[in-house]
Amino acid sequence: MDIHRCRFVPYPPSAINAVAFSYPTVTKSQRGAPVRLAIGRANGDIEIWNPLNGIWHQETILHGGKDRSIDGLVWVTEPDQILQDGTKLIGKSRLFSIGYTSTVTEWDLEKGRPKKQASGMHGDIWCLAAQPLVTAKHGDKSANKVQGGRKLVAGTMDGSLVLYSIDDGDLRFDRILVRSPQSRTKMVSIAFQDRNIIVVGCSDSAIRVYDMRTGAVLRKMTLGSDLSGGNKSIIVWSVKCLNGRDIVSGDSTGQVCIWDGKTYTQAQRLQTHSQDVLSLATSADGSVIVSGGMDRRTVLYRKTSGATARWSKVWHRRYHSHDVKTMASFEGNGMSVIVSGGPDASPIVLPLQNAGMENHRTLSHLPQDPPLQSAPKSRLIASWWEREVHIWRLRRPLRDLVDTLDGESAVDKNRKLIARVMIKGEANITSAAISQDGSLLVVSTTSEIKAFHLKPRSEAKKDELKISKIELEDDISKQGATRIQVSPDGRWICAIQGAAKVVVLSISRDSASDNKPTIHPKAIRLQRIERKIPKHVMLGGLGQYDRTITHIAFSPDSKMLAVADLAGYIDTWTLGTKQQKLQNGSNGTHDDASSDSEHEENDVEGLRWNRNPRGALIPKLQAAPTVLSFSDHIPTSSSASDEDTTDDYTLLTITARPQILLINPGLGSLTPWSRRNPIARFPVEFRNIRDLVKGALWSGNRIWLYGNTFLFMLDLSQDLAESAQSDAQSDGELVKQGTKRKRGPDSGAGSRMEIGAAGPTKIIRQVKKGVIEEISLDGPVSDPMDEDEVSQPAEEESESEDSDDENQGELALLRGAQEKSAPESQSGGGLAFWHTYKYRPILGIVPFGNEAEISTNGAADVMMDDETKETLEVALVERPLWDVDMPDRLFGDDEWER
């Protein structure tokens, strides 16, 4: 593989302003509850994560818009119900957000867009909380009536408390509960002590307790003045209640205060931060408190035992490189974690009950679905974020750069930004796609679909593109889309509308390649297979959110289309000339039945998309897919539905569990290789990785899998060999080397700590003259992440060769790789598995090629010999955080920028 290592492709990460779990705790009676984590960012996006017992899969992103921000998130879960047949109906989960405006927004998770909005005559909302349910007592018939009414309580910057009604699936402004007599008072933080008692942290050095039924002030707890500022008011940034009893507050003086929940008097004050305490989180039983502050510290507190029990600080760590702005806790399903976030854009998962015994885990700040595509024939890279699309060109192949004499200067001159497209409107981009020849760009938002024709201005100015808009019918474009994909032959566009509807658009091209393509005004609606999902599942929990389509894949000849949803169902269609009778419902039809004959005249050669006759036989995946990709093999048989045929497309699917399956969609079964090689036979290096697979690239029989921190190669022409080492021994070695290890019996964050792992690793010694010296307590240890590894035992080579190549530079490494490739290929059957951790964090990897060689989903035969097939050329885009401009942060005592 020839790799262009690219860090010039921009993708600015957005700060995390809010995190919230749909269920703070899950009891044994709620084991089937759909737990999700919502992460709100400063660009208006909301990421939905599935904890999956510590796997942490980013399922979808609810995209925001221009000048919008998510500054508060609240989940509201309705009570469970028991139906007449004894079936348990899980209460629906609803997600609400605020953005420092006077509006509260409810989000439609099934369609991936805002559902309802409500506002009132009040100031901007700074904090939001949901009224808790009443715990029903055994035999209490009135419990259901009390649970019926629930409201949202919002605190505003003008000192008001506002009620919003959310009964019966509605969202509307109810009334203003409290108006502050002082206009300077701001309601900064809010929490419920019980169903009717509200605790509000204010900006005037006070914490107020209100009765929600009457709006009366029950108690005002004052904090005095800021000692460093004299008369400066103290801001209470965060308040929490310990299991409905005592109150915890964090303020701008860096203090965490404990308040008695009955007398509303201060019981204890802890000075653990050097700057403002911005966030708090507590355990479900109220035995653990965690605070995060502007000084980047995360501090854990526990209550001492005995008659005079007091809260004390256990330890503090600096996991974040910026402010710890928000955090939320979750306990249940064998997990006990806290998720925190801030301006450094990376969520941190910390162990809660097992704090100090397990490591933390840093989740990626990059999206699971790479916002990156390439046009291999034109050597173009298209990347997008928010409402902007950038198109880059890499002029020369990597082999030409290696052979040049000017070295690194040739690499810098090889790239050029040739186009920048700003999408008009308010909504952010949900998806984009570019054709393989680079002539068509399709961009979608939640409210619109736009298509553009890309054409070089002249033969002499190939690096300058002329961009012209392609007209689309309003019935198609105004519905928007959550996913977009262009077929390899450039004749079809597949769009996912409403997160679950599959629509195909036909593209017509004139004989002259320079002419602008046209898109047929009628859309083809493809019907998915009707799955037998119990009604209590569809009506409860997250509803039909699991049927959200997250992946689209075209076969290399564009004659088969496959989509996959979060529930693990795969639907496939084939391109044919006639409809086939199916037992499972109707085939693909037009939105307008009367235009059937008209469409056949204008369609490409009268072809139609039919449901795959064997599609219902494709097995359901065990978890949500992270990769869906066709190999570059095209079957030779004319009909894939023939029972006697064995030649078929190969569809790769990888799930979050993980599970790697190769499927023959035309036969509706797994391939022989997939049946012989279950996940248990995969090398321990792959099974122990924590990050999920983000994408796949094909090169003949080889497939390249990549995630946020790794790049793996599998050779499908040979079976995987079982590892000679025991899994326990391999796991131990991986921990010693610093490699991420797969979750064992931990609580959902990192792996178990080794003895002595929490000890100091360096000492800072300051000499009288002001010279600062760092003394490392550990010996020089090479980082295995920066070395390539092979799982199979091969000829022992000196590890210093790799490090020497890296010290010589990227081009020297490539030249060395070319020299070593010949003897390695002659040594035998080749490697069945290879991996490296040197590239991180990876935004995405896209292939390059020309009309003669297709790197992914192309028309090359997979049965080529290794000597004759072309080398795969790719662009690997990295976006490390240290290369990103971050907002200014506080530097405390004895801190300096490295």
Side-chain angles (χ1 to χ4, degrees):
M1 176 187 283
D2 290 342
I3 298 178
H4 295 268
R5 195 171 186 176
C6 307
R7 287 181 178 170
F8 54 84
V9 178
Y11 185 82
S14 185
I16 297 175
N17 290 341
V19 294
F21 281 98
S22 57
Y23 289 82
T25 59
V26 173
T27 61
K28 293 183 179 180
S29 61
Q30 297 176 316
R31 286 187 178 272
V35 180
R36 295 295 186 274
L37 168 67
I39 298 179
R41 295 189 179 268
N43 63 352
D45 292 349
I46 300 178
E47 301 173 359
I48 306 298
W49 292 72
N50 190 343
L52 282 177
N53 295 330
I55 295 178
W56 298 103
H57 174 213
Q58 185 192 97
E59 294 181 334
T60 58
I61 298 179
L62 309 177
H63 293 272
K66 180 182 179 182
D67 298 331
R68 298 176 191 172
S69 176
I70 302 298
D71 297 289
L73 290 170
V74 170
W75 288 89
V76 174
T77 304
E78 298 177 358
D80 299 342
Q81 299 178 13
I82 304 298
L83 303 180
Q84 293 181 353
D85 58 355
T87 306
K88 184 178 180 180
L89 178 65
I90 299 176
K92 266 190 168 298
S93 296
R94 303 167 64 186
L95 179 61
F96 300 87
S97 71
I98 58 173
Y100 288 164
T101 64
S102 59
T103 303
V104 178
T105 303
E106 181 181 0
W107 292 84
D108 191 338
L109 298 181
E110 297 178 5
K111 296 183 179 180
R113 62 179 64 182
K115 185 177 183 180
K116 296 177 182 178
Q117 290 183 333
S119 181
M121 299 297 293
H122 53 75
D124 293 346
I125 299 175
W126 276 33
C127 55
L128 185 69
Q131 188 178 19
L133 292 170
V134 172
T135 304
K137 298 181 181 179
H138 182 68
D140 187 1
K141 298 182 180 179
S142 64
N144 291 331
K145 296 181 180 179
V146 178
Q147 291 177 355
R150 297 186 68 183
K151 298 185 184 301
L152 294 178
V153 182
T156 67
M157 68 176 297
D158 59 2
S160 301
L161 281 182
V162 185
L163 299 183
Y164 283 84
S165 175
I166 56 175
D167 293 337
D168 301 326
D170 196 10
L171 173 63
R172 58 182 176 82
F173 171 76
D174 190 8
R175 70 183 192 275
I176 296 179
L177 180 66
V178 175
R179 286 188 184 273
S180 175
Q182 300 178 0
S183 59
R184 294 183 179 180
T185 301
K186 299 177 176 60
M187 304 296 191
V188 181
S189 54
I190 189 170
F192 274 87
Q193 191 177 19
D194 58 32
R195 179 174 171 81
N196 298 313
I197 305 300
I198 310 172
V199 181
V200 182
C202 304
S203 62
D204 59 350
S205 305
I207 300 173
R208 293 175 172 84
V209 183
Y210 294 95
D211 189 332
M212 183 176 169
R213 294 164 292 191
T214 63
V217 180
L218 300 181
R219 188 62 60 94
K220 177 182 177 181
M221 300 174 285
T222 59
L223 293 167
S225 300
D226 191 347
L227 299 179
S228 62
N231 295 326
K232 182 181 177 182
S233 297
I234 297 176
I235 303 175
V236 182
W237 290 113
S238 182
V239 291
K240 293 290 181 182
C241 294
L242 294 172
N243 199 16
R245 299 189 300 271
D246 294 345
I247 302 169
V248 187
S249 67
D251 54 54
S252 57
T253 63
Q255 294 179 347
V256 174
C257 299
I258 315 296
W259 306 83
D260 189 281
K262 293 183 179 180
T263 63
Y264 298 111
T265 57
Q266 188 178 102
Q268 195 173 350
R269 177 178 293 190
L270 300 169
Q271 184 71 52
T272 53
H273 292 266
S274 59
Q275 290 295 326
D276 300 37
V277 178
L278 302 178
S279 56
L280 291 171
T282 62
S283 61
D285 58 0
S287 62
V288 180
I289 301 173
V290 180
S291 65
M294 195 180 292
D295 56 358
R296 302 185 293 126
R297 286 186 177 184
T298 301
V299 186
L300 184 133
Y301 315 84
R302 291 187 187 274
K303 201 170 186 178
T304 59
S305 59
T308 58
R310 302 278 290 176
W311 286 93
S312 62
K313 169 186 169 182
V314 179
W315 49 255
H316 80 266
R317 299 285 189 272
R318 280 177 174 161
Y319 300 110
H320 290 271
S321 60
H322 215 287
D323 305 346
V324 187
K325 188 173 183 180
T326 179
M327 58 176 57
S329 62
F330 169 73
E331 293 182 85
N333 297 334
M335 299 178 62
S336 178
V337 295
I338 284 181
V339 177
S340 61
D344 58 1
S346 295
I348 304 291
V349 184
L350 312 173
L352 182 56
Q353 297 294 352
N354 293 337
M357 296 181 289
E358 295 179 359
N359 294 298
H360 74 285
R361 180 179 176 186
T362 302
L363 302 180
S364 176
H365 64 282
L366 302 175
Q368 175 66 29
D369 186 18
L372 202 68
Q373 282 207 5
S374 68
K377 297 179 182 179
S378 300
R379 304 188 63 81
L380 300 180
I381 302 176
S383 66
W384 61 90
W385 71 95
E386 295 183 5
R387 295 174 296 111
E388 191 170 349
V389 182
H390 281 194
I391 300 177
W392 298 78
R393 183 191 297 278
L394 295 183
R395 298 188 178 97
R396 302 168 61 185
L398 191 65
R399 298 299 177 109
D400 296 346
L401 299 177
V402 174
D403 297 334
T404 56
L405 300 177
D406 49 356
E408 300 295 336
S409 62
V411 176
D412 296 335
K413 296 178 182 178
N414 189 43
R415 64 176 183 265
K416 184 179 181 180
L417 177 64
I418 61 175
R420 181 181 299 167
V421 182
M422 289 294 297
I423 304 300
K424 293 182 180 179
E426 298 291 329
N428 288 346
I429 296 173
T430 58
S431 181
I434 189 170
S435 61
Q436 289 204 357
D437 59 0
S439 63
L440 178 64
L441 174 68
V442 186
V443 182
S444 67
T445 66
T446 55
S447 59
E448 196 171 4
I449 300 176
K450 296 185 177 182
F452 303 93
H453 180 227
L454 310 181
K455 175 184 175 182
R457 292 191 178 275
S458 63
E459 287 293 331
K461 298 181 179 180
K462 287 188 176 181
D463 286 344
E464 296 182 12
L465 289 182
K466 179 182 179 182
I467 303 176
S468 57
K469 186 176 180 180
I470 301 175
E471 297 298 329
L472 288 171
E473 290 292 326
D474 290 344
D475 295 341
I476 300 173
S477 63
K478 295 302 181 183
Q479 295 187 23
T482 55
R483 292 287 186 278
I484 285 285
Q485 189 63 268
V486 180
S487 63
D489 61 1
R491 300 170 71 180
W492 302 95
I493 299 174
C494 179
I496 307 301
Q497 295 182 336
K501 294 193 304 181
V502 184
V503 175
V504 175
L505 305 174
S506 173
I507 304 173
S508 301
R509 296 177 181 267
D510 296 337
S511 57
S513 59
D514 295 340
N515 293 338
K516 182 190 298 186
T518 59
I519 298 178
H520 197 277
K522 297 298 181 181
I524 306 173
R525 169 79 182 276
L526 302 183
Q527 299 293 333
R528 303 170 65 187
I529 298 177
E530 184 178 354
R531 311 291 180 176
K532 295 182 179 180
I533 302 176
K535 186 170 291 186
H536 70 275
V537 175
M538 298 178 62
L539 298 178
L542 297 175
Q544 300 188 43
Y545 166 74
D546 283 347
R547 299 310 312 275
T548 300
I549 295 175
T550 57
H551 291 82
I552 308 172
F554 278 98
S555 64
D557 57 358
S558 304
K559 293 184 178 180
M560 177 170 280
L561 171 64
V563 299
D565 59 21
L566 291 175
Y569 292 110
I570 299 176
D571 293 277
T572 54
W573 297 269
T574 58
L575 189 63
T577 57
K578 63 179 181 179
Q579 295 279 20
Q580 301 182 14
K581 299 295 183 180
L582 298 176
Q583 300 177 356
N584 244 348
S586 61
N587 286 282
T589 59
H590 292 281
D591 291 341
D592 187 359
S594 63
S595 63
D596 227 5
S597 60
E598 179 186 350
H599 177 79
E600 290 183 359
E601 294 177 1
N602 294 284
D603 204 351
V604 180
E605 300 177 0
L607 300 177
R608 299 173 62 91
W609 287 96
N610 304 320
R611 181 97 56 77
N612 179 13
R614 301 287 183 89
L617 301 178
I618 296 177
K620 180 180 180 293
L621 306 179
Q622 296 180 358
T626 61
V627 172
L628 187 72
S629 174
F630 279 95
S631 72
D632 50 10
H633 172 64
I634 299 176
T636 56
S637 59
S638 59
S639 175
S641 60
D642 188 3
E643 295 182 359
D644 298 330
T645 185
T646 57
D647 193 12
D648 191 21
Y649 298 105
T650 301
L651 179 63
L652 169 72
T653 176
I654 304 177
T655 66
R657 281 297 178 185
Q659 182 187 32
I660 297 182
L661 297 177
L662 292 175
I663 300 173
N664 291 134
L667 304 176
S669 62
L670 300 179
T671 64
W673 186 93
S674 190
R675 288 194 292 265
R676 294 193 306 267
N677 296 272
I679 193 64
R681 289 181 61 94
F682 276 64
V684 67
E685 294 89 347
F686 182 84
R687 289 185 283 117
N688 282 354
I689 199 71
R690 285 182 173 270
D691 296 326
L692 301 180
V693 181
K694 296 174 64 173
L697 299 99
W698 293 85
S699 177
N701 284 327
R702 290 184 173 181
I703 180 171
W704 298 83
L705 309 177
Y706 69 90
N708 185 54
T709 58
F710 62 86
L711 177 62
F712 285 84
M713 185 276 295
L714 294 174
D715 191 346
L716 304 183
S717 63
Q718 50 185 316
D719 292 338
L720 298 171
E722 295 186 4
S723 177
Q725 302 178 358
S726 64
D727 289 349
Q729 181 180 356
S730 299
D731 288 351
E733 291 180 358
L734 287 176
V735 172
K736 292 178 182 179
Q737 294 175 353
T739 311
K740 297 179 181 178
R741 196 180 68 167
K742 187 175 177 63
R743 190 182 74 83
D746 54 54
S747 60
S751 56
R752 291 273 178 177
M753 285 185 176
E754 286 189 326
I755 298 176
T761 58
K762 66 178 63 174
I763 297 175
I764 299 178
R765 182 176 64 181
Q766 186 169 1
V767 189
K768 294 181 180 180
K769 295 182 180 180
V771 180
I772 297 175
E773 179 184 3
E774 289 187 3
I775 303 176
S776 177
L777 300 183
D778 299 328
V781 180
S782 61
D783 188 358
M785 293 291 193
D786 293 332
E787 298 178 5
D788 301 340
E789 298 182 15
V790 178
S791 63
Q792 291 186 346
E795 296 181 3
E796 296 185 359
E797 298 180 357
S798 174
E799 295 185 359
S800 62
E801 294 180 3
D802 293 337
S803 59
D804 291 341
D805 287 337
E806 291 180 10
N807 294 333
Q808 294 173 8
E810 194 74 16
L811 290 178
L813 179 61
L814 293 170
R815 293 189 183 100
Q818 289 183 355
E819 294 174 0
K820 296 177 183 178
S821 59
E824 287 178 0
S825 62
Q826 297 172 2
S827 60
L831 301 175
F833 174 75
W834 176 89
H835 70 287
T836 182
Y837 300 105
K838 70 168 59 174
Y839 307 107
R840 50 184 176 168
I842 299 175
L843 176 65
I845 304 178
V846 291
F848 281 128
N850 50 47
E851 296 182 1
E853 64 178 59
I854 303 297
S855 299
T856 179
N857 281 353
D861 192 355
V862 301
M863 300 305 294
M864 293 181 182
D865 295 333
D866 290 340
E867 298 180 359
T868 59
K869 66 183 179 184
E870 297 288 343
T871 302
L872 177 63
E873 183 185 6
V874 300
L876 187 150
V877 180
E878 296 175 291
R879 294 307 303 157
L881 277 176
W882 54 261
D883 200 21
V884 177
D885 293 333
M886 286 288 180
D888 295 336
R889 70 170 179 86
L890 172 74
F891 284 90
D893 298 336
D894 300 328
E895 281 192 83
W896 63 92
E897 188 72 44
R898 296 192 177 184

